[in-house]
Amino acid sequence: MLEFWTTPLGWTLLTVGQILLITVVLLICVAFLLLMDRKVWAGVQLRKGPNVVGPFGLLQSFADLLKFVLKELIIPAGADKFVFLLAPIITVIVACIGWSVVPFAPGWVIANLNVGILYLLAVSSLGVYGIIMGGWASNSKYPFLGALRSAAQMVSYEVSIGFIIITVILLTGSMNLSTIVDHQAGSILNWHFIGGGANLPTVVVMFPMMVMFFISALAETNRPPFDLPEAESELVAGYQVEYSSTPYLLFMLGEYMNIVLMCAMISVLFFGGWHAPWPEGYLEGLPPTLVSFHGLIIFSVKIVFWFFMFAMVKAIVPRYRYDQLMRLGWKVFLPTSLVAVALIAAWRVFGPGA
Amino acid sequence: MNLQAIAFYVLSVITVVSALGVVSARNPVHSVLYLILSFFTAAGLFVLLGAEFLAMLLIVVYVGAVAVLFLFVVMMLDVDFGSLREGFVRYLPIGGVVAAVLVVEMVLVATAVGEQGAAKGSGAPDILLDAPNTEQIGRVLYTDYIYFFQAAGMVLLVAMIGAIVLTLRHRPGVKRQSVMDQVARTPAKGMRIVQVKTGEGISE
Amino acid sequence: MMDFSGAVALALPEIILAVGALILLMVGAFGGDKSTGLVSVGSGGVLIAGAVAAAYGPLGSTFNGGFVADNAAAFAKVFIYGFSAVGVLLGDRWLKRMAASKFEFPVLIVIAALGMGMMASAGDLISLYIGVELQSLALYVLCAFRRDDAKASEAGLKYFVLGALSSGLLLYGASLIYGFAGSTKFVDIAAAVQAGAGQGAIFGVVFLICGLAFKVSAAPFHMWTPDVYEGAPTPVVAFVAAAPKMAAMVLFARALLQGFPGAVGQWQQVLVVVAALSMGWGALAGLRQRNLKRLLAYSSVTNIGYALLGIAAGTDQGVTAMLVFMVLYMIDTTGLFACLLALNRDGKPMETLADFAGLAKEKPGLALCITGLSFSVMGIPPFAGFWAKFYVFKAAIAAGLWPIAVFGLVASVVAAFYYLRIIKTMWFDPSPGRTDASPLDARGVAVAAALFSCGLVVLALNPLDTVAKLAAAAFHLS
């Protein structure tokens, strides 16, 4: 029976099964994270938030899903129908495929790519297409403005994200996400955001890098305070104005999956992935499945923590003006991250660990 | 037929079809979208070759940045392709001849490389077969090819200087936000407390 | 692969220029346009330092054969950097007069000179292409430098679009050569061609020649020249007309002689055709021109034809002749453009033939300079241009290309007509009005060039010939 899984057919079935499993679990998680987002937001504003559907409003997201699916789909006259419908689909697909390289636990990854981190960068840079296509295909002014804003914004922040990722790659010496996570094994002192193990002095560089990565992730996912492409008060809802029903749902879904992906990325790159902040000596000798579940739980907690940060920022920080956004990206983050790359590279070559 | 072969045929068919779409699409935005699709599938072909680093770079650089700006410009320009297409039939023979010459030469090169001893990459650098290809590229790029690498950097620098020289305008009379000044401002500097007497007001 | 310090020593001129350009750029970026004077002086210093480093640097090849520092490269670099320094001087003063000082101008000239130096040192198709691109990109920007001037923008844009096309040809040729020869290094290509790399590589050479012919503005790839010369600012043209041509000609010689020594017969035919077309078309089309800058553009097309004839000879003597020709031609053309730069009427540059009427009474000194330089370009005996053409024709006849040499002689007689017309206009026609005072820098360059071309050349010819012979011998090392 085991041999069957190594034949082409078996391999294909196995991979499809893994993909389905991750997608389904992810979708359910997103439903609850969405609820958490709203609850946190409500809490900051001293409201109760959704609390009607199900106990504590737990089924709110599923009710929303039903509502969206059952509404009428409206395609504006003069819209480019094909691109109009393609845009939300692309958004969701792109948000999903990024998960294929995320290591959830030791060995629990669909594709253990050697260039996994580049793959994530590439996928996150594709997210802009859904928005720009949707904005253009709507054949309407506000969506178009939103699309243009988002194109400029995402391309700008990608640059600094790329540089920040390079600092992590330099510390690890690998682009494989599993290797990056394993490089942070031990305890919280080995996590990259405080320099990664023996390289403790690099905390001076790496901690700001983590903060910058988080802020860039906000911009990259069009979250407040960088939600200029949507900007309810200026552009109504930006690129989503003309969308209704399921396509709109897909946009929302893609957006949230991207956010969770970004949370996972921060956890993997800076927060030790599946490794616990305390020494993990007690795991030795345990069956691998148990160790993996231990890792999965820790990884999930980290993702939820970062998602909480995303939600808090949304609730607390007011929206940036467009020129401020561009200034922050190009004049602050880009030079800083560039200097950081040079410093970390110098540390790797001339530092004590060289 | 194994999985790789299937993947190759699927990807190459999509690449070729979308490349055709680039030149035949009526709407320029559709052309760019086809172009992006063909970049994307070309990256897939790179992966099949085992050149995963190049594949990812192709996506990050071309699909993620260049094509976005391309799309941006095409959407903004609103090109009237009807008028651009007018000369299509007239220039078809010349274009056809050029294309035919190119095809013949490419076939010649391909067959020469395939058959001939002289063309067997005599200058190809040594390859470490066990290292991941990111490392292999790094090893030759920063040793044998460092000169070209740095020179290409200078070319990009010139492009940047050129773009700035030709477009940057310092218009007089524009008020700019200076974050430094804003942060450095204190109540003592920004505010003056005056006692206004009734009926007199303040004259400045 | 040489060790690091050896590589640095060989590439020292390039490193000086590159690092210098970066530092100057920083100075300018933080100092603003006020620091233009400082950046200009610095650029001049960097260029001269580069020339000195090139003249006295070690010889050899490094970076896996991509960079060659031999006598030919050193010879070319000394003159390229020298003329670039003159370009910085003329450009800086001119910008100051126009009250449009920008610190990027001298930096761009330094970077262009860096690209030219790389072209002169290219031992590989990749460094060939990158050098050409670096040089051209900087020149496109320089041509369009005054963006508010519609003509300058047009010139820059035309140069850019056609230049991109020619780069495409160049790349296509390079990829064909790589495909057939299996290497991008000239040395390996030569070996592969010797071993019979087939007709495909020759295809590639033809494309390569087309691309390079565009860069030196040889007919039939000269279309951009008149428009760019006319539209671009005069000091930029004075620069574009001299140093880049030298770099491209040396690159031409190196690519053909070191990359394809076994296929002289094939590329000689192509070069002869290009040379003949350039000489003939440049002479004929120049007759119709009333604008001096356009006229000089056609004159440059003709002269490039003569220089190509030197390479077409395919011998040491031919290359020596080409190098001597290029040096003398650079001096002539820089002098002529400096004269144009020195002449203004009512604040406007004097560019048409009619503007020059009666100049001899207004500005006898400059009129004399133009006359002398024109005689030189025409090829009247004791002047520089005569010796230049003499060398080329001698080499061509020695290589058995006498029909084309005779054709060149005829073309030069035709071309002489339009120079004579300028001289006649200056000395015998009535003047339409007063000219403005001429700036010292342009006048100085003009007088220096005229003095050299009309007298000093006789003294300089012998040493120049000796050095050029050494330089030409370098091409046969492989």
Side-chain angles (χ1 to χ4, degrees):
Chain A
M1 190 60 203
L2 267 175
E3 273 163 29
F4 170 71
W5 298 116
T6 54
T7 59
L9 180 67
W11 179 85
T12 314
L13 285 178
L14 188 67
T15 312
V16 170
Q18 287 172 340
I19 293 171
L20 276 180
L21 179 72
I22 287 191
T23 314
V24 170
V25 172
L26 203 63
L27 286 175
I28 296 172
C29 290
V30 164
F32 288 108
L33 285 171
L34 223 157
L35 181 71
M36 173 184 155
D37 194 26
R38 296 168 71 175
K39 281 281 191 190
V40 170
W41 203 8
V44 171
Q45 296 169 349
L46 301 180
R47 291 185 284 115
K48 277 190 189 305
N51 62 351
V52 177
V53 190
F56 310 109
L58 275 177
L59 299 178
Q60 179 67 42
S61 297
F62 298 95
D64 286 344
L65 169 81
L66 262 182
K67 188 183 79 172
F68 276 125
V69 172
L70 296 178
K71 290 246 173 172
E72 185 194 353
L73 169 63
I74 299 166
I75 297 174
D80 189 321
K81 194 173 168 188
F82 181 68
V83 180
F84 185 80
L85 292 179
L86 189 64
I89 297 174
I90 282 189
T91 308
V92 171
I93 290 178
V94 163
C96 286
I97 59 175
W99 286 93
S100 56
V101 293
V102 173
F104 294 94
W108 286 17
V109 47
I110 296 180
N112 195 10
L113 281 188
N114 271 335
V115 287
I117 197 165
L118 264 186
Y119 176 85
L120 272 185
L121 184 66
V123 166
S124 71
S125 70
L126 291 180
V128 68
Y129 280 109
I131 295 172
I132 201 169
M133 282 162 72
W136 175 79
S138 299
N139 193 27
S140 162
K141 293 271 187 311
Y142 285 134
F144 189 54
L145 284 174
L148 293 187
R149 280 184 175 190
S150 89
Q153 172 180 334
M154 292 177 81
V155 169
S156 306
Y157 278 84
E158 215 141 84
V159 183
S160 51
I161 284 198
F163 278 123
I164 296 167
I165 285 179
I166 289 176
T167 61
V168 174
I169 297 174
L170 283 172
L171 279 183
T172 320
S174 170
M175 296 204 203
N176 185 313
L177 289 170
S178 300
T179 317
I180 289 176
V181 172
D182 263 337
H183 187 251
Q184 307 175 68
S187 72
I188 190 167
L189 286 178
N190 287 349
W191 291 2
H192 282 143
F193 83 100
I194 35 182
N199 298 330
L200 208 53
T202 48
V203 65
V204 187
V205 178
M206 292 313 286
F207 189 75
M209 283 305 109
M210 182 203 68
V211 176
M212 280 168 56
F213 189 93
F214 177 64
I215 299 174
S216 301
L218 291 173
E220 187 77 3
T221 49
N222 298 321
R223 276 288 279 198
F226 304 113
D227 60 338
L228 290 142
E230 299 163 43
E232 289 94 339
S233 49
E234 303 162 30
L235 297 179
V236 194
Y239 63 94
Q240 300 171 340
V241 173
E242 305 290 348
Y243 281 92
S244 56
S245 179
T246 314
Y248 179 78
L249 172 74
L250 290 179
F251 263 132
M252 288 295 283
L253 190 64
E255 199 177 305
Y256 272 87
M257 282 173 85
N258 260 328
I259 292 167
V260 183
L261 183 62
M262 279 293 172
C263 296
M265 241 169 121
I266 306 179
S267 308
V268 166
L269 294 182
F270 294 98
F271 261 59
W274 64 69
H275 287 296
W278 51 81
E280 291 170 312
Y282 58 88
L283 287 175
E284 259 171 62
L286 290 182
T289 324
L290 214 58
V291 177
S292 290
F293 268 109
H294 173 267
L296 182 65
I297 290 166
I298 290 183
F299 188 53
S300 313
V301 169
K302 285 174 184 171
I303 291 182
V304 171
F305 168 74
W306 281 109
F307 190 83
F308 176 73
M309 296 294 280
F310 265 78
M312 286 301 279
V313 170
K314 178 179 178 178
I316 294 168
V317 187
R319 184 183 301 132
Y320 263 48
R321 210 174 54 213
Y322 197 68
D323 61 318
Q324 293 168 330
L325 172 87
M326 284 295 154
R327 182 183 166 276
L328 186 70
W330 289 106
K331 290 191 178 174
V332 181
F333 280 9
L334 182 59
T336 316
S337 51
L338 204 54
V339 169
V341 168
L343 286 178
I344 294 289
W347 176 263
R348 287 285 287 161
V349 176
F350 303 112
Chain B
M1 207 153 66
N2 57 12
L3 283 175
Q4 287 207 349
I6 298 174
F8 170 77
Y9 286 115
V10 170
L11 288 173
S12 47
V13 165
I14 297 179
T15 310
V16 172
V17 169
S18 56
L20 277 176
V22 176
V23 286
S24 62
R26 291 199 169 274
N27 190 325
V29 174
H30 290 177
S31 283
V32 180
L33 292 178
Y34 277 122
L35 184 69
I36 293 160
L37 181 60
S38 110
F39 278 151
F40 199 79
T41 44
L45 290 172
F46 270 128
V47 171
L48 283 184
L49 281 175
E52 70 262 10
F53 184 72
L54 276 185
M56 292 308 142
L57 276 201
L58 188 68
I59 293 188
V60 172
V61 176
Y62 283 92
V63 182
V66 175
V68 173
L69 298 181
F70 214 62
L71 201 59
F72 200 99
V73 172
V74 170
M75 285 176 177
M76 299 269 271
L77 279 182
D78 199 18
V79 192
D80 178 15
F81 262 57
S83 62
L84 280 182
R85 242 161 234 284
E86 270 170 11
F88 184 71
V89 177
R90 195 148 53 90
Y91 296 123
L92 193 59
I94 300 175
V97 168
V98 173
V101 170
L102 294 188
V103 167
V104 168
E105 284 177 349
M106 280 177 200
V107 170
L108 277 178
V109 171
T111 49
V113 170
E115 291 173 1
Q116 217 179 43
K120 258 191 287 173
S122 52
D126 301 331
I127 294 172
L128 309 143
L129 279 174
D130 49 342
N133 65 43
T134 316
E135 193 182 330
Q136 289 176 15
I137 289 175
R139 280 189 191 281
V140 288
L141 193 60
Y142 297 107
T143 54
D144 289 353
Y145 290 86
I146 182 70
Y147 173 60
F148 308 134
F149 181 74
Q150 294 290 347
M154 288 305 286
V155 173
L156 292 180
L157 176 71
V158 172
M160 218 156 82
I161 298 175
I164 293 172
V165 167
L166 295 182
T167 54
L168 185 67
R169 285 277 167 302
H170 288 293
R171 287 191 196 82
V174 176
K175 283 193 177 167
R176 288 182 190 283
Q177 181 184 21
S178 167
V179 177
M180 293 290 212
D181 290 352
Q182 285 181 349
V183 173
R185 212 167 113 116
T186 58
K189 268 197 280 177
M191 182 162 73
R192 188 162 58 102
I193 298 172
V194 281
Q195 202 77 45
V196 186
K197 284 199 180 122
T198 320
E200 290 181 10
I202 299 177
S203 58
E204 292 273 350
Chain C
M1 185 79 196
M2 287 185 73
D3 61 315
F4 178 69
S5 58
V8 168
L10 282 175
L12 193 61
E14 270 70 17
I15 293 173
I16 291 176
L17 255 63
V19 174
L22 292 178
I23 293 173
L24 291 169
L25 201 59
M26 277 295 132
V27 171
F30 285 103
D33 288 332
K34 290 187 295 289
S35 58
T36 309
L38 179 66
V39 176
S40 292
V41 173
S43 303
V46 164
L47 285 167
I48 290 166
V52 172
Y56 296 105
L59 301 182
S61 133
T62 184
F63 297 121
N64 214 10
F67 184 90
V68 184
D70 56 10
N71 280 324
F75 178 88
K77 276 183 210 172
V78 168
F79 286 102
I80 288 167
Y81 296 165
F83 277 88
S84 303
V86 174
V88 170
L89 168 75
L90 291 178
D92 177 60
R93 298 286 96 192
W94 173 78
L95 281 172
K96 194 151 233 171
R97 286 199 294 282
M98 308 294 288
S101 278
K102 270 196 173 176
F103 70 90
E104 286 98 343
F105 188 91
V107 175
L108 280 171
I109 290 192
V110 173
I111 295 179
L114 169 67
M116 294 172 210
M118 287 169 56
M119 285 161 77
S121 283
D124 189 301
L125 289 172
I126 305 176
S127 45
L128 174 152
Y129 177 70
I130 294 179
V132 166
E133 263 329 85
L134 185 55
Q135 178 251 156
S136 319
L137 268 178
L139 293 185
Y140 305 148
V141 179
L142 284 173
C143 283
F145 204 76
R146 299 199 61 210
R147 209 192 62 160
D148 304 323
D149 183 353
K151 261 191 170 172
S153 309
E154 188 201 331
L157 198 64
K158 237 176 208 168
Y159 197 9
F160 174 62
V161 172
L162 292 173
L165 187 69
S166 82
S167 293
L169 287 177
L170 203 69
L171 270 185
Y172 194 69
S175 61
L176 275 180
I177 294 171
Y178 177 58
F180 281 97
S183 172
T184 55
K185 277 181 251 171
F186 290 157
V187 184
D188 295 342
I189 293 171
V193 171
Q194 213 81 41
Q199 286 297 305
I202 305 303
F203 255 125
V205 178
V206 174
F207 276 104
L208 201 68
I209 291 176
C210 293
L212 285 174
F214 178 92
K215 300 291 176 196
V216 294
S217 72
F221 306 100
H222 65 287
M223 302 79 73
W224 58 276
T225 323
D227 294 329
V228 171
Y229 276 39
E230 187 191 358
T234 310
V236 174
V237 183
F239 175 59
V240 171
K245 303 263 155 93
M246 178 70 165
M249 290 309 286
V250 172
L251 181 61
F252 230 129
R254 194 187 294 283
L256 293 180
L257 292 173
Q258 290 194 337
F260 300 90
V264 177
Q266 279 92 333
W267 54 255
Q268 196 177 40
Q269 298 165 5
V270 183
L271 271 196
V272 163
V273 171
V274 171
L277 276 176
S278 304
M279 292 187 287
W281 183 247
L284 286 176
L287 289 177
R288 282 192 15 245
Q289 303 306 323
R290 289 290 178 275
N291 183 305
L292 267 251
K293 280 162 94 179
R294 285 187 86 85
L295 195 151
L296 285 175
Y298 282 106
S299 156
S300 85
V301 174
T302 319
N303 281 297
I304 285 302
Y306 297 125
L308 284 177
L309 198 53
I311 299 181
T315 56
D316 268 5
Q317 195 191 2
V319 177
T320 313
M322 183 274 285
L323 291 173
V324 172
F325 183 94
M326 283 315 291
V327 171
L328 297 178
Y329 169 68
M330 276 160 86
I331 294 172
D332 277 348
T333 191
T334 308
L336 278 171
F337 277 109
C339 292
L340 282 187
L341 194 57
L343 292 169
N344 288 290
R345 181 173 282 141
D346 304 331
K348 284 201 194 76
M350 296 162 55
E351 285 180 2
T352 63
L353 203 54
D355 284 336
F356 279 74
L359 190 71
K361 291 184 194 68
E362 283 283 332
K363 292 246 158 38
L366 276 175
L368 206 60
C369 285
I370 298 178
T371 311
L373 289 167
S374 299
F375 275 132
S376 170
V377 182
M378 264 189 272
I380 303 289
F383 299 112
F386 166 74
W387 299 107
K389 283 182 189 164
F390 173 72
Y391 271 92
V392 169
F393 288 143
K394 207 171 87 177
I397 290 168
L401 296 174
W402 62 267
I404 188 83
V406 170
F407 181 78
L409 267 179
V410 174
S412 95
V413 170
V414 176
F417 176 74
Y418 51 70
Y419 290 110
L420 285 173
R421 192 166 57 192
I422 304 175
I423 294 167
K424 176 236 163 203
T425 319
M426 280 193 308
W427 291 91
F428 302 111
D429 286 3
S431 162
R434 291 197 62 81
T435 55
D436 300 347
S438 43
L440 182 66
D441 57 296
R443 210 169 55 203
V445 171
V447 170
L451 274 181
F452 178 86
S453 288
C454 303
L456 293 175
V457 63
V458 186
L459 296 176
L461 209 53
N462 229 340
L464 188 63
D465 184 44
T466 319
V467 184
K469 269 207 181 87
L470 266 179
F475 288 129
H476 279 289
L477 280 176
S478 54

